[in-house]
């Protein structure tokens, strides 16, 4: 096998003594050869990354209000629809994670089944989702830091004060991932648990304040016939978004194939239960909520537990910051992987010499969060409403990447002779669920501005697709390489070798050649 001539930044060679792998004619670059710190995270660290990126405390603080804004009393059903769909997605992603891992996450997995073009679309869509969540999460952190300072008498309505909070929140959120995923994971898990415990006081008070009765309107099946419920389900699915971020740690996790697959399901199941317990009681009290202030403190005052506000505001403010830390971690690795494959500027492949983190990508995401939060601070729409709309656009990035990966996975499993009826059924149901949510989000046409927000996302994605089409025409060797950085498990390599599907090149060949990821299939 000979390498395709290439003028792009070289992909790392297979280490001497370690064979390169060619899967169905497509050369694979091992994820751990890209320069990120190997074996940095064990099972708890990987779980902490997924939990912090999905951020149940952050979601409980803002998502129920977002669901209520879009669907009214149909918010609880929207949350249930979201849980079922995301559980199917998590199982489907796990089908691939047990066999192969990558810092490219769902983009790489999509490429396995649908090829480099769709790998790029899925990867960029997921990247837009992460960057969107980093920006809106930074704004949420500012809201809750501001709320906390107000409760202890240090708040201010001055613009300079709000801007100072933006700088502080974004600065901390960038510093932690720069120091490394291990350090960030420790803070993420500790503060997430603290925030959830404090929020539980308000949730219990919400149940008690309403009395021992059931709000039949929320549970009416008629809500499932309203398009607004499925518009809200976009946000509901998005409220779990980030759980798949564990897949971006494929180059850094210990026993990555097993650890990542298990973490996917654990994160979804735990936060799913929390969301269902929290959405219903919050909706009972939303009629008088001010859309420009943090929701949970208002809810605490309404239900008679205002004394907990300072604790909740502080805990949720910190949870927002570690949430931004987690999604920044994943976004930076997506940028890093695409850059290593040659599709983005070479500068994004730079790794911090001491901490071995993709520091340029982290700074880029932080800059985007800073700009968004500053713009929102000066917006007349209200910072919370601005946050809702921004998060809604970002959610489309996750929806598109999820849809592509659940379509691609059974195709890849079929190609490698691992598709079973159960796996095909789970993937098919996940695709149908996502498709139904997407269709119901655009038809019948929802009210303004939700009717135009999907097109805002598509407009941004169209620019990225235009770049890929340019690469395909001007630099086809780069376009073919996208999605090639991944590591097959030893057991999977052996199984595929027995089937004649995978070729393991000799040590001599691996030493003498650069693995380009060129696709001759």
């Amino acid at each position: 096998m000979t390498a395709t001539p290439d003028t792009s930044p070289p992909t790392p060679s297979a280490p001497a003594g370690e064979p390169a792998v060619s899967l169905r004619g497509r050369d694979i670059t091992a994820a751990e050869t890209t320069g990120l710190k190997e074996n940095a995270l064990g099972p708890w660290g990987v779980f902490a990354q997924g939990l912090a990126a999905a951020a149940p405390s952050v979601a409980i603080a803002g998502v129920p209000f977002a669901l209520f804004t879009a669907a009214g009393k149909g918010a609880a059903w929207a949350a249930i629809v979201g849980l079922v769909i995301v559980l199917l997605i998590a199982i489907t992603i796990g089908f691939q994670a047990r066999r192969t891992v990558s810092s490219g996450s769902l983009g790489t997995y999509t490429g396995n089944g649908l090829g480099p073009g769709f790998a790029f679309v899925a990867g960029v869509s997921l990247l837009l989702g992460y960057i969107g969540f980093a920006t809106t999460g930074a704004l949420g952190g500012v809201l809750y830091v501001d709320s906390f300072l107000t409760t202890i008498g240090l708040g201010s309505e001055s613009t300079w004060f709000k801007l100072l909070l933006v700088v502080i929140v974004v600065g901390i959120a960038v510093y932690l991932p720069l120091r490394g995923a291990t350090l960030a994971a420790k803070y993420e898990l500790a503060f997430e648990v603290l925030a959830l415990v404090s929020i539980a006081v308000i949730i219990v008070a919400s149940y008690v304040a309403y009395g021992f009765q059931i709000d039949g309107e929320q549970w009416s099946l008629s809500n499932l016939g309203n398009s607004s419920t499925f518009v809200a389900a976009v946000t509901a699915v998005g409220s779990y978004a980030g759980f798949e971020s564990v897949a971006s740690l494929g180059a850094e996790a210990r026993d990555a194939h097993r650890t990542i697959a298990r973490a996917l399901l654990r994160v979804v199941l735990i936060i799913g239960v929390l969301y269902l317990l929290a959405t219903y009681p919050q909706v009972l009290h939303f009629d008088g909520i001010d859309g420009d202030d943090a929701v949970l403190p208002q809810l605490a005052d309404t239900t008679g537990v205002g004394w907990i506000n300072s604790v909740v505001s502080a805990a949720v403010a910190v949870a927002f910051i570690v949430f931004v830390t987690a999604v920044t971690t994943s976004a930076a690795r997506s940028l890093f992987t695409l850059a290593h494959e040659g599709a983005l500027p070479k500068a994004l492949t730079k790794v911090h010499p001491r901490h071995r983190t993709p520091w340029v990508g982290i700074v880029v995401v932080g800059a985007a969060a800073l700009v968004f939060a500053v713009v929102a601070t000066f917006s007349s729409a209200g910072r919370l409403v601005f946050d809702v709309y921004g998060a809604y656009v970002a959610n489309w990035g996750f929806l598109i990447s999820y849809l592509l990966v659940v379509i691609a996975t059974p195709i890849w499993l079929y190609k490698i002779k691992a598709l079973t009826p159960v796996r095909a059924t789970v993937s098919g149901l996940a695709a149908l669920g996502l498709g139904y949510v997407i269709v119901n989000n655009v038809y019948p046409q929802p009210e303004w501005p939700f009717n135009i927000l999907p097109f805002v996302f598509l407009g941004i994605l169209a620019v990225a697709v235009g770049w890929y089409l340019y690469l395909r025409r001007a630099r086809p060797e780069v376009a073919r390489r996208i999605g090639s950085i991944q590591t097959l498990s030893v057991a999977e390599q052996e199984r595929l070798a027995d089937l004649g599907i995978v070729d393991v090149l000799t040590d001599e060949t691996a030493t003498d050649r650069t693995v380009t990821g060129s696709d001759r299939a």
Side-chain angles (χ1 to χ4, degrees):
M1 297 183 186
T2 58
T4 304
D6 190 4
T7 59
S8 64
T11 305
S13 303
E18 181 176 317
V21 175
S22 177
L23 177 61
R24 298 190 71 89
R26 186 176 192 187
D27 297 342
I28 303 299
T29 298
E32 60 269 21
T33 65
T34 55
L36 298 176
K37 187 175 183 179
E38 296 180 53
N39 299 317
L41 294 166
W44 277 107
V46 174
F47 173 80
Q49 162 67 23
L51 189 70
S57 62
V58 170
I60 291 171
V63 169
F65 181 75
L67 298 181
F68 181 76
T69 299
K73 288 296 185 76
W77 278 113
I80 292 174
V81 171
L83 171 58
V84 172
I85 292 173
V86 174
L87 186 59
L88 291 169
I89 294 169
I91 295 172
T92 300
I93 297 172
F95 293 154
Q96 291 214 48
R98 290 183 179 89
R99 293 169 170 78
T100 186
V101 293
S102 170
S103 55
S105 189
L106 304 193
T108 301
Y109 289 164
T110 296
N112 285 342
L114 297 176
F118 284 102
F120 185 80
V121 172
V124 170
S125 294
L126 192 62
L127 177 60
L128 292 174
Y130 285 140
I131 293 176
F133 271 18
T135 57
T136 57
L139 180 57
V142 170
L143 283 170
Y144 274 88
V145 170
D146 194 7
S147 176
F148 168 69
L149 294 176
T150 298
T151 61
I152 62 175
L154 297 178
S156 173
E157 291 299 317
S158 300
T159 300
W160 70 266
F161 182 78
K162 294 179 180 179
L163 292 177
L164 177 62
L165 293 182
V166 169
V167 172
I168 292 173
V169 168
V170 174
I172 297 173
V174 168
Y175 172 75
L176 286 176
L178 277 174
R179 287 292 307 276
T182 303
L183 177 67
K186 292 178 181 178
Y187 283 99
E188 289 163 2
L189 187 59
F191 284 110
E192 190 62 39
V193 172
L194 175 62
L196 288 171
V197 170
S198 61
I199 289 172
V201 175
I202 299 176
I203 299 303
V204 171
S206 299
Y207 278 107
V208 174
Y210 185 71
F212 296 97
Q213 53 185 315
I214 296 176
D215 182 10
E217 188 177 353
Q218 281 199 63
W219 298 116
S220 173
L221 292 176
S222 63
N223 289 317
L224 289 174
N226 296 332
S227 64
S228 61
T229 298
F230 291 93
V231 170
V234 174
T235 299
V237 171
S239 69
Y240 297 86
F243 80 92
E244 81 301 317
S245 67
V246 301
S248 69
L249 300 175
E252 298 160 277
R254 293 194 294 272
D255 193 12
H257 300 89
R258 178 182 299 178
T259 299
I260 289 173
R262 289 180 175 179
L264 288 166
L265 289 179
R266 288 171 179 170
V267 171
V268 170
L269 290 173
I270 288 174
I271 64 178
V273 172
L274 293 174
Y275 290 164
L276 293 177
L277 291 175
T279 297
Y280 169 75
Q282 287 196 65
V283 170
L284 298 173
H285 303 277
F286 272 158
D287 287 336
I289 292 295
D290 181 352
D292 194 37
D293 291 319
V295 171
L296 287 179
Q298 297 180 68
L299 191 59
D301 291 335
T302 300
T303 56
V305 290
W307 54 268
I308 195 69
N309 276 342
S310 58
V311 176
V312 170
S313 294
V316 174
V318 176
F320 263 106
I321 294 172
V322 297
F323 163 62
V324 178
T325 295
V327 293
T328 297
T329 294
S330 296
R333 279 149 183 78
S334 294
L335 289 169
F336 175 83
T337 303
L338 286 170
H340 252 293
E341 292 166 346
L344 291 178
K346 184 179 179 181
L348 292 168
T349 66
K350 293 184 180 297
V351 175
H352 193 281
R354 179 180 178 184
H355 306 301
R356 296 175 67 182
T357 54
W359 70 270
V360 176
I362 292 170
V363 171
V364 168
V365 177
L370 182 66
V371 170
F372 182 88
V374 169
V375 171
T377 298
F378 289 100
S379 171
S380 60
R383 288 178 295 175
L384 184 58
V385 173
F386 202 90
D387 186 31
V388 168
Y389 293 158
Y392 184 82
V393 173
N395 284 337
W396 275 92
F398 293 99
L399 281 177
I400 297 302
S401 60
Y402 291 164
L403 180 62
L404 289 175
V405 78
V406 298
I407 292 173
T409 295
I411 295 174
W412 186 64
L413 293 177
Y414 176 77
K415 289 179 178 178
I416 64 172
K417 300 182 180 180
L419 185 64
T420 65
V422 171
R423 291 167 185 162
T425 299
V426 170
S427 301
L429 289 175
L432 288 174
L434 278 167
Y436 190 64
V437 169
I438 291 171
V439 169
N440 276 273
N441 188 66
V442 295
Y443 181 83
Q445 190 177 62
E447 296 181 0
W448 190 92
F450 292 101
N451 60 331
I452 66 168
L453 294 180
F455 298 101
V456 172
F457 168 78
L458 290 176
I460 299 172
L461 183 61
V463 175
V465 171
W467 172 247
Y468 173 76
L469 293 176
Y470 163 77
L471 289 176
R472 186 174 179 181
R473 185 182 71 254
R475 304 176 65 189
E477 73 286 346
V478 171
R480 288 194 299 268
R481 182 182 303 144
I482 295 171
S484 64
I485 296 179
Q486 56 184 304
T487 302
L488 291 167
S489 70
V490 174
E492 187 65 12
Q493 288 189 47
E494 292 174 350
R495 188 186 72 85
L496 294 175
D498 289 341
L499 293 171
I501 294 174
V502 67
D503 295 322
V504 179
L505 308 182
T506 65
D507 293 352
E508 180 181 356
T509 305
T511 303
D512 292 341
R513 68 190 290 277
T514 296
V515 181
T516 65
S518 57
D519 190 352
R520 292 174 299 280

